[in-house]
């Protein structure tokens, strides 16, 4: 009886130790889920974007312009820890970054990030060619968002609409820039100081709309104030996306 | 051992398969290709198909509430409309393309005469929103549907959503369209050895292969999911955003100028008029075109180029008549009766 009782105690202790060990192992192997908030601020040079009637100096000629609509897709966000060769890709990563009259910032939060640290962030402007083959999508890709172009070329990646005012008699030309087509999908990459993702983190980016028209391709509103469904012209503006979005330090 | 293995596999298969079985929603014909074209995120369900059918016949999906999908895709006409270029749309302007049949889309890899849409779901947005078709604003569309409790309940049941959005409208429509299957013509019953064809019909079938009609209109679908320039025009004007340039508008490949999608010949007796712009009123005109009226252009399909640079398919009048007799065998009476008898909600 005594032996049986001793055996039972031993088994109970062993089981408890095993359970404890398993729990510890689980804690070590399973990373705590983190979150990161992306905040995009839109400016024209150093001036904050104000949707509506506020006028800004045109970057490449004499005149002013106002913006009534500005939206773009940020997609396929990835966090990379290059030192440990780890990365996390956000699933269904398609965010319609948009601004309204009330504020010049837009933010979204990515949850359930399983890596602890990262030193590089990647994302793209536009929709990748696989997803862009169809407009049957929900969420930020819902066609009701007015960004679905058509069933063949997919989505507009960036929309900027407004008006251009010349100095000579304030003649108004509409500004209509609808930039899409799969070949204009622009991957971007940002080195960040090694950040430990704690419970949550915030990453700021600045979208300088002026850069969209200046670097490396000069877009002069006198000669080009509208791009709607023109692949060649869209490419000129899309090439400027790289300089348009910068990490705010 | 093999039998035991097979049994184990079946048991394992049934144990691990937790998805609802939707295979009883359609029965694909045994003599049709196994590979179908439907997205994983829009699997068929009985309720989804019924919802799609209801939407297909509902004129509230159009701006003026006066036309529905079936206005240009009539079941009795094998889902075409019997006119060259419809003027039924919201604007009253004539379309620039003939309304194609909607049968057997489960096996189609592209949609529209230039293949501009790669899935049925995306395709729906053109007729829904084009001002010359249903002219609907998508925000107005979802507002209307969300105001109807019956639709809200049905969309909830099918897609588990509380608010109807336009992609789900397109998905429901696609589910219904994928069930429009035509595979019970006299030709099909002949292939399945259930019915005989007459001598002249057999002759027409033989000629269909000999004269290479089957090269593009390949049985059992009677199309090849591809694009060809069949010599109806020698010049293709670059207007209307390239709509008259055919496949080139989509591919940007100059070799595709003037090429349009091969239509199916199933139910061809019912789907007049013919070609992408409905220019030929009768099948006789079509065959006359192929035998005597093909015109040259740089992208003319080589199938039509004979020796010494001549073009066309050699067809005597007798041969044309035999082929016509065969083509009538592709009419699927059961599709028409079945579709037309459906109660409209």
């Amino acid at each position: 009886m005594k032996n049986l009782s001793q055996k039972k105690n031993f088994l109970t202790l062993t089981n408890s130790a095993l359970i404890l060990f398993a729990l510890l192992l689980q804690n070590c192997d399973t990373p705590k889920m983190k979150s990161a908030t992306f905040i995009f601020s839109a400016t024209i040079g150093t001036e904050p974007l104000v949707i509506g009637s506020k006028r800004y100096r045109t970057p490449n000629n004499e005149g002013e312009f106002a913006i009534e609509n500005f939206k773009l897709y940020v997609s396929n966000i990835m966090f990379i820890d290059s030192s440990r060769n780890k990365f996390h890709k956000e699933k269904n990563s398609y965010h319609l970054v948009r601004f309204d009259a009330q504020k010049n910032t837009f933010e979204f939060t990515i949850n359930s990030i399983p890596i602890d640290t990262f030193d590089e962030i990647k994302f793209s402007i536009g929709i990748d060619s696989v997803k862009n083959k169809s407009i049957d999508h929900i969420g930020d890709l819902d066609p009701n968002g007015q960004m679905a172009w058509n069933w063949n070329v997919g989505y507009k990646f960036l929309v900027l609409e407004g008006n251009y005012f010349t100095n000579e008699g304030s003649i108004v030309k509409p500004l209509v820039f609808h930039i899409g087509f799969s070949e204009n999908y622009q991957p971007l990459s940002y080195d960040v100081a090694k950040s430990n993702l704690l419970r949550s983190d915030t990453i700021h980016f600045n979208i300088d709309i002026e850069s969209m028209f200046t670097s490396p391709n000069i877009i002069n509103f006198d000669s080009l104030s509208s791009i709607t469904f023109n692949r060649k012209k869209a490419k000129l503006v899309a090439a400027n996306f790289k300089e348009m979005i910068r990490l705010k330090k | 051992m093999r039998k035991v293995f097979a049994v184990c596999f079946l048991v394992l298969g049934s144990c691990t398969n937790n998805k609802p079985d939707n295979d009883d929603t359609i029965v694909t014909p045994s003599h049709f290709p196994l590979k179908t074209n439907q997205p994983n995120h829009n699997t068929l369900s009985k309720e989804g198909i019924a919802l799609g059918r209801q939407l297909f016949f509902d004129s509230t999906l159009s701006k003026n509430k006066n036309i529905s999908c079936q206005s240009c895709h009539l079941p009795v006409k094998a889902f075409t409309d019997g006119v060259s270029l419809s003027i039924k749309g919201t604007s009253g302007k004539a379309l620039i393309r003939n309304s194609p049949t909607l049968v057997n889309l489960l096996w189609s890899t592209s949609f529209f005469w230039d293949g501009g849409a790669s899935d049925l779901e995306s395709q729906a947005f053109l007729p829904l929103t084009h001002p010359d078709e249903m002219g609907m604003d998508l925000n107005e569309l979802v507002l209307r549907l969300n105001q109807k409790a019956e639709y809200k309940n049905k969309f909830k049941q099918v897609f588990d959503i509380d608010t109807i959005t336009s992609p789900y409208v397109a998905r429901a429509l696609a589910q219904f369209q994928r069930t429009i299957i035509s595979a019970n013509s006299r030709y099909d019953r002949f292939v399945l050895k259930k019915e005989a064809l007459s001598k002249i019909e057999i002759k027409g079938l033989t000629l269909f292969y000999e004269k290479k009609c089957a090269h593009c209109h390949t049985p059992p679908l009677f199309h090849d999911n591809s694009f060809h320039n069949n010599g109806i025009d020698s010049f293709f004007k670059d207007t209307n955003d390239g709509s008259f340039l055919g496949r080139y508008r989509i591919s940007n490949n100059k070799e595709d100028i003037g090429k349009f999608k091969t239509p199916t010949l199933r139910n061809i007796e019912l789907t007049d008029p013919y070609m992408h712009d409905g220019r030929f009123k009768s099948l006789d005109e079509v065959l006359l075109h192929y035998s005597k009226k093909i015109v040259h252009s740089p992208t003319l399909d080589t199938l039509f180029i004979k020796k010494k640079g001549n073009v066309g398919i050699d067809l005597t009048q007798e041969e044309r008549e035999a082929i016509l007799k065969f083509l009538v065998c592709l009419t699927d009476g059961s599709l028409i009766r079945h579709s037309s008898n459906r109660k409209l909600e």
Side-chain angles (χ1 to χ4, degrees):
Chain A
M1 285 288 287
K2 202 175 175 181
N3 277 341
L4 194 61
S5 174
Q6 278 175 334
K7 271 185 186 172
K8 271 188 183 173
N9 285 339
F10 176 74
L11 278 170
T12 306
L13 267 171
T14 311
N15 284 343
S16 301
L18 281 170
I19 289 166
L20 190 61
F21 181 69
L23 279 170
L24 281 170
L25 208 60
Q26 193 181 37
N27 275 340
C28 288
D29 284 350
T30 307
K32 289 194 180 101
M33 292 295 150
K34 312 292 187 337
S35 65
T37 297
F38 281 53
I39 300 180
F40 290 89
S41 304
T43 63
I44 292 88
T46 56
E47 292 186 77
L49 167 70
V50 177
I51 295 284
S53 57
K54 181 167 170 60
R55 298 191 184 188
Y56 304 90
R57 301 297 310 166
T58 53
N60 301 310
N61 51 283
E62 290 299 313
E64 291 182 318
F65 71 106
I67 297 173
E68 293 175 353
N69 187 10
F70 181 60
K71 293 188 279 198
L72 67 153
Y73 276 113
V74 164
S75 65
N76 294 306
I77 297 172
M78 196 184 325
F79 301 87
I80 299 160
D81 181 345
S82 54
S83 63
R84 293 200 283 173
N85 212 24
K86 282 188 174 182
F87 66 90
H88 170 67
K89 283 172 83 167
E90 185 194 18
K91 281 185 184 170
N92 291 321
S93 184
Y94 300 95
H95 302 272
L96 182 60
V97 175
R98 51 205 183 270
F99 303 90
D100 58 35
Q102 274 67 52
K103 55 182 183 174
N104 77 321
T105 59
F106 182 86
E107 62 181 73
F108 55 82
T109 300
I110 298 171
N111 294 312
S112 305
I113 303 170
I115 60 172
D116 293 324
T117 59
F118 63 91
D119 54 10
E120 187 182 355
I121 294 172
K122 288 187 178 184
F123 59 77
S124 299
I125 303 300
I127 310 298
D128 54 272
S129 60
V130 172
K131 204 80 169 179
N132 207 30
K133 281 195 176 99
S134 171
I135 55 173
D136 168 33
H137 300 303
I138 57 176
D140 276 13
L141 292 174
D142 187 319
N144 281 68
Q146 311 294 323
M147 293 294 276
W149 223 341
N150 70 34
W151 29 93
N152 172 41
V153 297
Y155 290 82
K156 300 168 206 166
F157 296 171
L158 179 146
V159 164
L160 185 145
E161 294 166 344
N163 287 297
Y164 164 40
F165 306 91
T166 66
N167 282 343
E168 298 144 3
S170 293
I171 297 168
V172 171
K173 265 191 208 182
L175 291 177
V176 181
F177 292 92
H178 295 173
I179 311 299
F181 301 104
S182 289
E183 63 265 27
N184 293 321
Y185 175 73
Q186 288 288 344
L188 304 172
S189 169
Y190 300 90
D191 290 331
V192 299
K194 186 104 174 180
S195 300
N196 288 315
L197 261 178
L198 301 175
R199 284 316 248 179
S200 68
D201 210 338
T202 303
I203 305 150
H204 294 256
F205 292 91
N206 189 68
I207 304 176
D208 181 7
I209 296 172
E210 193 173 87
S211 294
M212 187 177 140
F213 300 112
T214 55
S215 180
N217 295 317
I218 306 287
I219 309 294
N220 186 319
F221 294 160
D222 283 328
S223 51
L224 186 59
S225 59
S226 174
I227 301 175
T228 51
F229 208 76
N230 186 305
R231 295 186 108 104
K232 280 186 191 163
K233 290 178 183 174
K235 201 170 180 173
L236 290 174
V237 175
N240 293 352
F241 286 170
K242 281 191 168 134
E243 297 298 322
M244 191 173 77
I245 302 185
R246 302 227 172 200
L247 193 64
K248 252 184 162 180
K249 292 183 182 170
Chain B
M1 283 299 290
R2 276 189 189 177
K3 276 186 186 175
V4 170
F5 176 78
V7 167
C8 286
F9 180 78
L10 282 168
V11 168
L12 279 171
S14 62
C15 283
T16 55
N17 182 9
N18 294 320
K19 291 181 187 174
D21 182 6
N22 290 321
D23 285 345
D24 60 354
T25 49
I26 52 168
V27 176
T28 52
S30 58
H31 60 300
F32 270 44
L34 280 173
K35 189 171 161 48
T36 58
N37 182 22
Q38 50 182 326
N40 292 333
H41 65 265
N42 193 26
T43 49
L44 300 182
S45 69
K46 283 197 177 95
E47 296 78 13
I49 294 163
L51 175 58
R53 183 184 305 117
Q54 183 177 353
L55 291 165
F56 189 88
F57 290 98
D58 191 343
S59 58
T60 57
L61 267 66
S62 60
K63 181 179 177 181
N64 297 335
K65 300 184 186 179
N66 60 340
I67 54 171
S68 65
C69 306
Q70 74 109 17
S71 301
C72 296
H73 297 285
L74 295 148
V76 71
K77 293 281 295 168
F79 296 87
T80 60
D81 59 3
V83 300
S84 297
L85 302 169
S86 178
I87 55 169
K88 281 187 181 168
T90 301
S91 68
K93 282 189 208 169
L95 298 181
I96 54 175
R97 300 260 174 88
N98 176 256
S99 302
T101 181
L102 302 183
V103 304
N104 298 338
L105 296 182
L106 188 58
W107 289 273
S108 290
T109 55
S110 67
F111 306 90
F112 298 127
W113 281 100
D114 54 17
S118 55
D119 56 66
L120 255 183
E121 287 80 356
S122 297
Q123 179 275 339
F125 288 98
L126 184 148
L128 276 172
T129 61
H130 199 284
D132 298 341
E133 300 200 37
M134 294 167 82
M136 195 59 167
D137 174 85
L138 290 180
N139 288 325
E140 174 65 21
L141 170 68
V142 298
L143 184 69
R144 285 186 193 175
L145 293 177
N146 279 301
Q147 284 172 342
K148 295 187 176 188
E150 184 196 356
Y151 269 132
K152 285 201 77 165
N153 291 337
K154 286 182 177 177
F155 274 90
K156 174 73 179 176
Q157 185 187 20
V158 175
F159 298 112
D160 195 23
I161 53 172
D162 295 313
T163 303
I164 302 167
T165 58
S166 59
Y168 291 105
V169 177
R171 289 175 191 188
L173 284 167
Q175 286 201 31
F176 165 61
Q177 290 177 84
R178 288 193 174 106
T179 66
I180 303 172
I181 294 178
S182 180
N184 192 29
S185 65
R186 287 188 57 230
Y187 163 79
D188 295 295
R189 294 196 292 279
F190 166 75
V191 162
L192 295 171
K193 299 183 177 19
K194 292 180 182 175
E195 188 171 323
L197 295 183
S198 68
K199 256 189 179 174
I200 190 163
E201 288 162 349
I202 297 279
K203 183 179 176 185
L205 170 58
T206 308
L207 287 166
F208 189 79
Y209 278 94
E210 283 179 2
K211 300 295 180 179
K212 297 187 182 169
C213 311
H215 184 85
C216 302
H217 296 285
T218 314
L221 298 174
F222 286 88
H223 68 78
D224 59 357
N225 270 318
S226 190
F227 306 87
H228 302 277
N229 176 349
N230 65 347
I232 57 174
D233 285 314
S234 57
F235 171 73
F236 307 95
K237 57 184 178 180
D238 187 3
T239 56
N240 288 77
D241 290 328
S243 297
F244 299 106
L245 299 175
R247 181 66 180 163
Y248 170 77
R249 182 187 183 214
I250 306 304
S251 69
N252 286 301
N253 181 347
K254 287 188 177 165
E255 290 181 18
D256 286 338
I257 291 175
K259 292 184 182 178
F260 289 88
K261 198 164 70 148
T262 313
T264 181
L265 297 184
R266 285 189 171 273
N267 305 295
I268 197 72
E269 183 190 12
L270 303 173
T271 59
D272 61 288
Y274 307 106
M275 302 294 145
H276 66 275
D277 54 5
R279 65 179 67 186
F280 294 139
K281 302 291 179 273
S282 68
L283 285 172
D284 205 46
E285 271 187 79
V286 173
L287 290 183
L288 205 58
H289 158 74
Y290 281 120
S291 65
K292 292 181 188 309
K293 297 188 177 180
I294 285 185
V295 293
H296 259 296
S297 64
T299 56
L300 177 67
D301 199 295
T302 53
L303 196 70
F304 303 116
I305 301 174
K306 298 188 286 193
K307 289 175 186 172
K308 296 179 186 174
N310 293 328
V311 294
I313 300 175
D314 292 326
L315 283 172
T316 64
Q317 186 175 337
E318 195 188 23
E319 287 171 334
R320 291 203 305 272
E321 283 169 6
I323 290 176
L324 286 174
K325 289 286 185 195
F326 163 65
L327 291 177
V328 171
C329 298
L330 299 177
T331 303
D332 182 348
S334 62
L335 164 78
I336 311 308
R337 284 190 300 275
H338 186 56
S339 301
S340 297
N341 284 342
R342 287 198 187 283
K343 283 183 186 174
L344 307 183
E345 297 183 43

